[in-house]
Amino acid sequence: MEDLSGIDWEDAFENGGYIENGSAYPDLWAKRAAEFRSRHADRMTEVAYGEASREKIDLFRPEGASKGLVVFVHGGYWLKFSKDMWSHLAQGALAQGWTVALPGYTLAPENSIPGIAQQIARAIDHAAGLVEGPIHLVGHSAGGHLVTRSVSEGSALSDETAARIRRVISVSGVHDLRPLQMHSMNARLGITPEIAASESPALLKLRPGVKVTVWVGAAERPEFLRQSSLLAEHWPSADLVAAYGRHHFDVIEELSDPSSALVTALLSTG
């Protein structure tokens, strides 16, 4: 590991304090998500993939035949938010004819990061059983960790489902858990050196046959730029994209635009 001593890790992982009106974004996301669900209620189903209260998937089906499955995994440092805050981000892929699944998961400290990763693998497996065709994954922040963990060695994902995954995009993902051991939130996350080693995609091998794009806002905090560069360096086949002018909270907005560069990359089969 490179020398990261002397870094203020509380500040390094702080996003909202460096974004204008950062505190307003959660309410905005929730409002947009609720409006989207109300417009697509006839094509949305909530499906349980386990017995825990958060082990549910929101499944949005397109008009006409589905081209495949897109799974979006939300972030929040594994500690906050829910699938219900991000429904509007299904719009881009849905409008292009793909079925979109948004899984929930049990948050820390009730669950551990390895436990959350296993939940997401089971959610993807379950959604795969409901939708035919290729599978593309996209996750934001901690969700970026969870989708890249799903396609790295030792994943709980079934071999059958893994064989269908064509493309993965981590948007401003956390790929190296080691620095989080030095952050106060680790009192709730419970990351040990062993967990950091076994659950950091940047320390693991990528499953063969999966195309990965590491997508990050060019205006993000230095640690998120480092986290993205680190995974791209460790997985040489991965592409690295820095979205001009985007920060940690607005970098995902393009997922709601069917013609955006992010949606185009997500749905690409090349």
Side-chain angles (χ1 to χ4, degrees), residues 17 34 60 69 167 195 198 247:
F60 294 91
L69 173 67
R167 181 169 290 271
I195 288 175
S198 66
H247 55 63

Side-chain angles (χ1 to χ4, degrees), residues 155-250:
S155 166
L157 202 64
S158 72
D159 290 340
E160 182 180 2
T161 299
R164 291 171 55 192
I165 296 176
R166 299 289 182 268
R167 181 169 290 271
V168 175
I169 297 188
S170 175
V171 183
S172 302
V174 181
H175 310 117
D176 178 8
L177 303 183
R178 292 172 296 180
L180 285 166
Q181 295 174 90
M182 296 171 277
H183 194 286
S184 61
M185 75 175 83
N186 200 41
R188 291 171 289 162
L189 293 176
I191 301 171
T192 63
E194 292 75 21
I195 288 175
S198 66
E199 300 299 323
S200 294
L203 306 179
L204 302 172
K205 293 181 180 178
L206 173 65
R207 283 179 180 260
V210 182
K211 178 64 178 177
V212 174
T213 298
V214 186
W215 196 284
V216 65
E220 297 224 27
R221 304 283 289 129
E223 176 58 13
F224 281 90
L225 296 173
R226 187 192 75 85
Q227 290 269 345
S228 297
S229 297
L230 186 64
L231 186 65
E233 291 169 4
H234 187 66
W235 290 353
S237 63
D239 295 326
L240 177 61
V241 176
Y244 178 77
R246 293 290 191 178
H247 55 63
H248 196 73
F249 288 174
D250 69 4

Side-chain angles (χ1 to χ4, degrees), residues 24-42:
Y25 275 85
D27 287 343
L28 178 62
W29 293 327
K31 178 182 178 181
R32 289 176 175 173
E35 290 173 348
F36 181 83
R37 287 195 302 276
S38 69
R39 294 196 306 271
H40 296 83
D42 59 330

Side-chain angles (χ1 to χ4, degrees), residues 15-55:
N15 286 303
Y18 288 89
I19 295 171
E20 185 176 1
N21 298 319
S23 62
Y25 275 85
D27 287 343
L28 178 62
W29 293 327
K31 178 182 178 181
R32 289 176 175 173
E35 290 173 348
F36 181 83
R37 287 195 302 276
S38 69
R39 294 196 306 271
H40 296 83
D42 59 330
R43 289 189 280 137
M44 174 193 160
T45 306
E46 187 178 63
V47 181
Y49 69 90
E51 296 182 358
S53 61
R54 281 177 169 258
E55 290 185 331

Side-chain angles (χ1 to χ4, degrees), residues 49 56-58 70-78 80-87 89-90 100-107 116-125 127 135-150 157 165 168-174 248 252 255 266:
Y49 69 90
K56 294 182 175 66
I57 302 166
D58 284 345
V70 167
V71 180
F72 172 80
V73 182
H74 74 81
Y77 284 126
W78 309 271
K80 56 185 178 180
F81 302 141
S82 71
K83 62 180 175 57
D84 304 320
M85 296 185 66
W86 313 94
S87 310
L89 299 182
V100 181
L102 290 86
Y105 52 88
T106 304
L107 302 175
I116 294 170
Q118 291 170 11
Q119 279 186 319
I120 291 301
R122 286 194 285 109
I124 296 169
D125 276 337
I135 300 172
H136 294 198
L137 310 179
V138 57
H140 174 238
S141 197
H145 162 265
L146 292 167
V147 296
T148 51
R149 180 68 188 95
S150 294
L157 202 64
I165 296 176
V168 175
I169 297 188
S170 175
V171 183
S172 302
V174 181
H248 196 73
I252 50 174
L255 285 174
L266 174 62

